Amino acid sequence: MKKIFYIIVFLLICSITGQTQSDAPISERKVPTMNGHTFPSSSHLGSSFITTHLQADLGFGLTSTLKIPGIVIDDYEIFSFEGQILFFSTSVQYHQRFTPWLSLYLTFKMSGRVGTDISTIMADGVNTLSGGDIGWLLRITKTEKFNLTGTINVQNLTGNFINVSDYFEDIINNVPDPSVTKKVPAMLIGAGIRGAYAFNPTYGLQFQADFDYGETFERSITKGYFSAGLIGDVDFLPKHNTAVGLALGYAISSAPEIVMGEGGLSHLITGKIGYTGSDDFELGVQYTYFNVNINSVDDKPFIRLIKKWLIKYQYRHNRQ
Amino acid sequence: MTKFTHLLILWIFLVSSLLVSGQSYVGIFGGLNSSKLSGDAPNNAKYKGIMGANVGAYIDLNLGKGIFLSLQPSYSQEGTKLSYTLPKVEEPVDSIKIRLNYFSLPLLLKVTSTNKRFYAIGGFETGLLVDSYVSSHDTKEDIKTNVAKWNVAMHFGVGIKIPIGFPRLFVEFRYSQGLINLTDEPIEKSYVPRVKTAGFKILAGIEIPLKKTDK
């Protein structure tokens, strides 16, 4: 029964992808273009363009060397560690455009962090976050140079935390039913705005601001999450006939997939180089430098994230 | 006049003005829910999907430019399976079924695509719990945990319309995510601790336009 259910769903989605856009005139370019400028994608800033596309990205990174404090007994510190923590993240997003002003999007994402050796695994554990979101992208206004859209979405996330040191702490503090693993679900509802401005065919600017409200990874606590950022880019294709684009951006975020269970604000600086020569797809490498709170260490370490193999495939759609 | 009467008059006025202004539709639908509870699961257990029925009727009021306000009173069977991990058994065992039956009133927006065959649908649903039970190996009993009487969920969906003369058939796929906790019990004390509803729906139905046009 379940198989039939999923087959029907699959066929329905395939038929929408195949037919909604087939009986109208096709656009000159499939990639998001305005005032002759092609806008690049970024993994921390969503696109403001209502298109049908599939985007996948994959990233990994390392912290600088961290000193994890131990216990001080008679001026001697025991159980202190030094090491690095590995971060990884991956996501796949699909946008389905229905009208020139409305699209539905789905995202599946997973991110996590783990120590690079036994000592940091013992101290910081293994932390993963998985889930996804579903939402609407609605156009607010569009002119020759400016595009502004709004988003409404629901996120469903599950945090899995394996922490040996917390387990021993719970045993010492007589916490009932101590467990090495913790699985905490969180549901968030959010809204935001996304925009893009094309100065000329070479230069463009994109921005985003989001607010989500819902559960945190500490049970019984609800709170708001905020993220905002902007990214400027230059495309060398129109003037220099070189299919390379560069982008530089800044974002501030308390989103759970970035800060995970610890909370707080992260500052993200992003640089990206991408291929801009294709009408069908976009390919790029993004480098992000950001800081996060990690409870097991004193400092707020910076993470060099070799983000991301970012691949985006555009489906043909009507002229906007 | 009571506040309810005021609201009812306002509602009738709004509906009738929308009915007059453009082509609206009425219809019936039925389909399957693949629902489960999402949230904290009891120790050594996980939630799995359970199939249920969803039947109802609806009216689509034209707001203009391919946008419709859709009212869909319906009966919806939701719930979950609880799959327990037992010692010395490799696979988890589906031992408990929890059924939550709602009378629901989704208030949704439907937006048709440029070719008018496909549509996107989304909005909010308010559900009143009419019946609930837990069953295990042919025994059925009431749920002892205090389950919230009302549920609020958000819907996201897509559909296709198939004209068959004057009426139209449709097939629709929806994802529904509950927004409020149905229970707020500690994990160790309940088989449904802090949970929300979540699930997919596949619906099919028939609709007729309220006005006859030349097309």
Side-chain angles (χ1 to χ4, degrees), chain B residues 156-171:
Chain B
F156 298 85
V158 293
I160 178 173
K161 291 188 176 185
I162 306 149
I164 48 161
F166 187 59
R168 290 191 297 191
L169 296 175
F170 68 87
V171 180

Side-chain angles (χ1 to χ4, degrees), chain B residues 26-84:
Chain B
V26 289
I28 52 166
F29 64 89
L32 292 171
N33 273 339
S34 172
S35 64
K36 70 171 187 175
L37 296 177
S38 69
D40 287 334
N43 292 332
N44 302 322
K46 64 176 181 180
Y47 296 119
K48 287 174 83 176
I50 190 170
M51 285 288 182
N54 191 177
V55 289
Y58 70 91
I59 179 164
D60 282 354
L61 303 167
N62 193 344
L63 301 177
K65 292 183 179 176
I67 307 168
F68 295 87
L69 179 70
S70 189
L71 279 167
Q72 308 193 340
S74 59
Y75 177 74
S76 178
Q77 287 184 319
E78 298 188 20
T80 197
K81 277 183 198 166
L82 256 177
S83 177
Y84 276 93

Side-chain angles (χ1 to χ4, degrees), chain A residues 11-289:
Chain A
L11 290 175
L12 184 66
I13 290 168
C14 286
S15 65
I16 290 169
T17 308
Q19 289 188 40
T20 43
Q21 296 138 3
S22 61
D23 51 358
I26 54 173
S27 66
E28 289 160 5
R29 295 208 72 186
K30 287 192 277 180
V31 291
T33 306
M34 209 165 52
N35 195 25
H37 179 75
T38 302
F39 287 90
S41 304
S42 163
S43 57
H44 300 303
L45 260 84
S47 171
S48 67
F49 294 93
I50 312 270
T51 59
T52 299
H53 66 258
L54 181 70
Q55 181 175 326
D57 57 281
L58 174 70
F60 57 90
L62 275 175
T63 61
S64 45
T65 305
L66 306 172
K67 190 173 184 324
I68 297 164
I71 305 161
V72 178
I73 302 170
D74 290 339
D75 295 338
Y76 289 99
E77 194 176 23
I78 57 166
F79 299 127
S80 66
F81 301 120
E82 242 184 45
Q84 287 180 301
I85 292 174
L86 173 80
F87 280 71
F88 65 90
S89 73
T90 180
S91 73
V92 178
Q93 187 171 72
Y94 178 71
H95 273 248
Q96 174 65 51
R97 177 185 189 266
F98 286 94
T99 68
W101 55 270
L102 177 77
S103 71
L104 173 74
Y105 65 89
L106 301 152
T107 314
F108 297 96
K109 53 190 166 190
M110 187 176 181
S111 57
R113 70 166 198 248
V114 62
T116 53
D117 53 42
I118 292 295
S119 61
T120 43
I121 290 171
M122 287 290 285
D124 191 57
V126 180
N127 304 273
T128 62
L129 194 149
S130 59
D133 60 45
I134 182 166
W136 300 108
L137 187 63
L138 297 126
R139 178 183 290 164
I140 298 166
T141 183
K142 189 172 193 283
T143 64
E144 192 191 343
K145 290 183 175 182
F146 181 60
N147 186 45
L148 186 69
T149 48
T151 57
I152 302 165
N153 66 70
V154 171
Q155 279 192 72
N156 215 334
L157 302 168
T158 304
N160 281 287
F161 309 107
I162 302 170
N163 201 311
V164 181
S165 56
D166 277 4
Y167 173 66
F168 287 122
E169 211 172 295
D170 285 352
I171 290 173
I172 292 163
N173 295 329
N174 286 326
V175 173
D177 298 323
S179 175
V180 179
T181 60
K182 274 182 192 163
K183 187 178 177 183
V184 189
M187 201 277 295
L188 308 160
I189 182 163
I193 53 162
R194 296 174 182 184
Y197 187 83
F199 296 99
N200 53 45
T202 307
Y203 296 101
L205 185 76
Q206 294 180 86
F207 61 89
Q208 180 182 349
D210 282 314
F211 182 77
D212 293 286
Y213 184 78
E215 293 158 338
T216 65
F217 292 110
E218 281 181 52
R219 285 192 173 87
S220 76
I221 296 175
T222 51
K223 71 169 197 178
Y225 295 93
F226 172 75
S227 60
L230 80 167
I231 190 164
D233 72 278
V234 53
D235 183 7
F236 296 108
L237 187 64
K239 269 195 173 177
H240 304 281
N241 209 23
T242 306
V244 173
L246 296 175
L248 187 66
Y250 168 77
I252 185 166
S253 177
S254 64
E257 63 264 35
I258 306 221
V259 301
M260 302 200 74
E262 270 82 355
L265 272 174
S266 275
H267 300 269
L268 300 99
I269 298 161
T270 295
K272 189 193 163 190
I273 182 164
Y275 173 69
T276 59
S278 173
D279 189 30
D280 297 312
F281 68 88
E282 189 192 329
L283 185 67
V285 181
Q286 185 179 308
Y287 180 86
T288 304
Y289 189 69

Side-chain angles (χ1 to χ4, degrees), chain B residues 15-16 18-27 58-62 68-69 166-168 207-213:
Chain B
V15 170
S16 47
L18 287 170
L19 283 172
V20 170
S21 65
Q23 181 63 283
S24 296
Y25 298 86
V26 289
Y58 70 91
I59 179 164
D60 282 354
L61 303 167
N62 193 344
F68 295 87
L69 179 70
F166 187 59
R168 290 191 297 191
E207 67 177 20
I208 51 166
L210 288 177
K211 284 181 192 171
K212 212 162 189 179
T213 58

